[in-house]
Amino acid sequence: MHAEDPYGTPPYGGPGPWAPAPPVQRPVATPAHGTVLPPTAGPQPPYGAPAAEPPAAHPGLRKPGPSQPPSAPGAAPSLDAPQPDAAQPGPQPPDAPQPTAPQVTGPQTTPLGAVPGPAAAGPNGSVQDGMDGTDGAFVPHPGDGGPRPAAAPAAPYAAQPQPYPGRPGDHGPSSAQGQHPTSQGQHPAAHGQHPAPQAQQHPAPHGAWQHYDPWRAPLQGGPLAPSPHDRRRRRGQLVAGAVALALLAGGIGGGIGAYVERYGGINDIRLPQSAGDGAGRRPDSVAGIAQTALPGVVTIHVRGSAEQGTGTGFVLDHQGHILTNNHVVEPAGKGGEISVTFSGGQTAKAKVVGQDGGYDLAVVQVEGVTGLRPLTLGNSDSVQVGDPVVAIGAPFDLANTVTSGIISAKQRPITAGGEKGDGSDVSYVDALQTDAPINPGNSGGPLVDAKARVIGINSAIRAADGGSGTVGGAQGGSIGLGFAIPINQAKRVAEELINTGRATHPVIGVTLEMEYAGDGARVSEHSKSGKPPVIPDGPGAKAGIKAGDVITKVDGAPVHSGEELIVKIRSHRPGDTLALTLLRGGKDRSVRLSLGSSSTG
């Protein structure tokens, strides 16, 4: 209930006092007391008296106008005067015509702001509301979307309103039946003023007021406007639908875009391509050889106090021994660090087991590593020129690099090193020559045959500037002249390094004149460093070699220099017997010599 409205119309029911307006739309205020209203057509009957006026444009409706009091037609109503009881019919002349109401066949619409017509009285002046099982006459009611009773039993306005079950928070109409809000100051005719004949009876729908919302302006002949809750719910449904549609469209568009990006448009040119070859490779192919050998190849990183470097090695056994070049691990010195990285990416620390500069070989060992894959060692003496070979290593620190070529030559005598100046770091190798690309970083890596067996250790290259040296200096890249230590020689040295930590060298017990420019290797005629040219009781002295002799052949193979003679000798084991051809006084002599031994470490 709200505060008393001085401009409200009286409630239906008993006469005054004025009561607060029912919870409906507030009508337009009536003029103030004493305001003269414009004249109307004909005298206005007093409030509650029968009125004789022409029929309205719509049955039961009057033109909007201010309410008139019963005492002074055309004057403003007095708020202090008691009002006649709207439920009691006023006196009527006996010959007053009785207007008839049209038959109601269903809901009808009325103009916005119109008021309902007079209530219909039942037989014997009783009011039938159609809500208690009896038939009642119905007239259209503006804005409620359906018929309502023509008249209802009068009830005091102060009756408790029934809860409105439509929406939470909405205020329903007053429970006093028969009350009608007025608009523009109009008031309905008093009961009995326009008795209506029996109209077509329709049972009233139960809860017709439940669809009536007094706080919203009714639409003409249509349902009430939706509440904010309904609008929010519909708006939420629309937003959810729009979001779902956007997501669906985005997903479809993204899928189409990804497909177009991957496979191109419908009209894009597509080049023919053969199907992928999932079959394996033959074991003797380069791919098959690499697949077999790579798990046993490692990359070696060395860090010392003054320098560092990268090289290659390969696994010799399941104890973790790895064979590489001496010049690869030499930068570590005594307190350096050596790490080994396997082809699968695992890394382990390594320590030096033994090394030898004369053969340019070294063995390092890793501990605590399982799943090692040792490579099979071949026979370098059985290799023929032209045999296919594969070199594996880490040129310029590019691990697991595979190159292929052939054996270009055998027993190619080379020397490498010599950076120290005293000759202690010079290696003499009766090498296998190959055109498989070898670059710095390949040093210590395996050279394998068609069956993935190791036949050499890649150690040196011929540089483009005409020089030669180990594969670890600042030389340029490969020009197709690579050299490998034969595995037969490397195997013996590796075994000695693993077993004793040092390697033995075969010797003949003579001092050579390295400056000799003639063909062959000349035995020095003078002592050097306090040593005689031919060591007494040495292998050479026992074979009959004398100072000044020139050795021209070893086992029938020509010898053209002192370095070449050393290479030939070191390709054998101590204790082996060699047949030497000597040139003494212009005549050739043949001697047999049993090789002695010297050790380094």
Side-chain angles (χ1 to χ4, degrees), residues 434-450:
T434 180
D435 64 348
I438 297 174
N439 292 282
N442 275 106
S443 294
L447 183 70
V448 299
D449 61 10

Side-chain angles (χ1 to χ4, degrees), residues 314 375-376 378 383 388-392 403-407 432-436 438 444-449 452-458 482-485 487:
F314 63 92
L375 295 187
T376 302
V383 174
V389 290
V390 172
I392 305 175
T403 57
S404 65
I406 62 171
I407 294 296
L432 298 173
Q433 181 181 331
T434 180
D435 64 348
I438 297 174
L447 183 70
V448 299
D449 61 10
R453 299 174 300 190
V454 180
I455 59 173
I457 293 89
N458 302 316
F483 304 96
I485 301 172
I487 193 60

Side-chain angles (χ1 to χ4, degrees), residues 222-542:
L224 298 177
S227 69
H229 177 73
D230 290 340
R231 287 196 296 270
R232 287 194 298 269
R233 181 173 60 187
R234 285 195 293 269
R235 187 182 302 113
Q237 293 174 351
L238 290 175
V239 171
V243 171
L245 181 60
L247 291 176
L248 179 62
I252 295 175
I256 294 175
Y259 179 87
V260 170
E261 182 180 0
R262 181 183 180 95
Y263 300 104
I266 298 177
N267 297 326
D268 290 353
I269 296 176
R270 292 180 174 84
L271 301 177
Q273 184 179 17
S274 62
D277 185 7
R281 299 293 185 266
R282 295 195 340 251
D284 59 347
S285 65
V286 174
I289 295 170
Q291 184 177 3
T292 302
L294 272 172
V297 181
V298 301
T299 301
I300 300 176
H301 294 90
V302 179
R303 184 186 302 274
S305 59
E307 54 182 332
Q308 60 186 12
T310 301
T312 309
F314 63 92
V315 181
L316 290 173
D317 52 28
H318 291 284
Q319 285 72 37
H321 292 107
I322 295 172
L323 182 62
T324 186
N325 282 136
N326 177 67
H327 71 265
V328 170
V329 301
E330 192 172 25
K334 297 297 183 179
E337 181 179 293
I338 301 174
S339 65
V340 173
T341 303
F342 295 86
S343 61
Q346 302 90 343
T347 300
K349 299 297 182 181
K351 64 179 182 179
V352 176
V353 175
Q355 58 188 120
D356 184 88
Y359 288 111
D360 194 20
L361 293 172
V363 174
V364 299
Q365 185 179 16
V366 294
E367 296 180 353
V369 178
T370 60
L372 297 175
R373 298 279 298 275
L375 295 187
T376 302
L377 304 183
N379 188 344
S380 55
D381 292 340
S382 301
V383 174
Q384 301 295 323
V385 174
D387 284 349
V389 290
V390 172
I392 305 175
F396 299 102
D397 205 11
L398 300 174
N400 303 324
T401 297
V402 177
T403 57
S404 65
I406 62 171
I407 294 296
S408 302
K410 290 180 63 177
Q411 298 179 344
R412 185 75 74 187
I414 63 168
T415 58
E419 287 82 4
K420 292 183 178 181
D422 57 358
S424 60
D425 61 336
V426 176
S427 59
Y428 301 89
V429 181
D430 195 17
L432 298 173
Q433 181 181 331
T434 180
D435 64 348
I438 297 174
N439 292 282
N442 275 106
S443 294
L447 183 70
V448 299
D449 61 10
K451 295 183 179 180
R453 299 174 300 190
V454 180
I455 59 173
I457 293 89
N458 302 316
S459 300
I461 60 173
R462 182 76 177 186
D465 58 1
S468 62
T470 57
V471 191
Q475 318 80 314
S478 172
I479 60 173
L481 294 175
F483 304 96
I485 301 172
I487 193 60
N488 289 5
Q489 178 179 336
K491 176 180 178 295
R492 178 186 68 84
V493 175
E495 289 172 347
E496 291 180 351
L497 293 177
I498 293 172
N499 294 326
T500 65
R502 61 184 60 201
T504 61
H505 296 179
V507 295
I508 61 176
V510 298
T511 301
L512 299 177
E513 187 178 337
M514 304 302 296
E515 298 83 8
Y516 179 69
D519 189 27
R522 183 177 179 178
V523 178
S524 178
E525 295 179 350
H526 306 284
S527 298
K528 292 183 177 181
S529 302
K531 294 182 180 179
V534 178
I535 298 176
D537 297 330
K542 293 179 179 179

Side-chain angles (χ1 to χ4, degrees), residues 72-94:
S78 174
L79 299 179
D80 299 328
Q83 300 297 325
D85 187 356
Q88 302 297 328
Q92 299 183 16

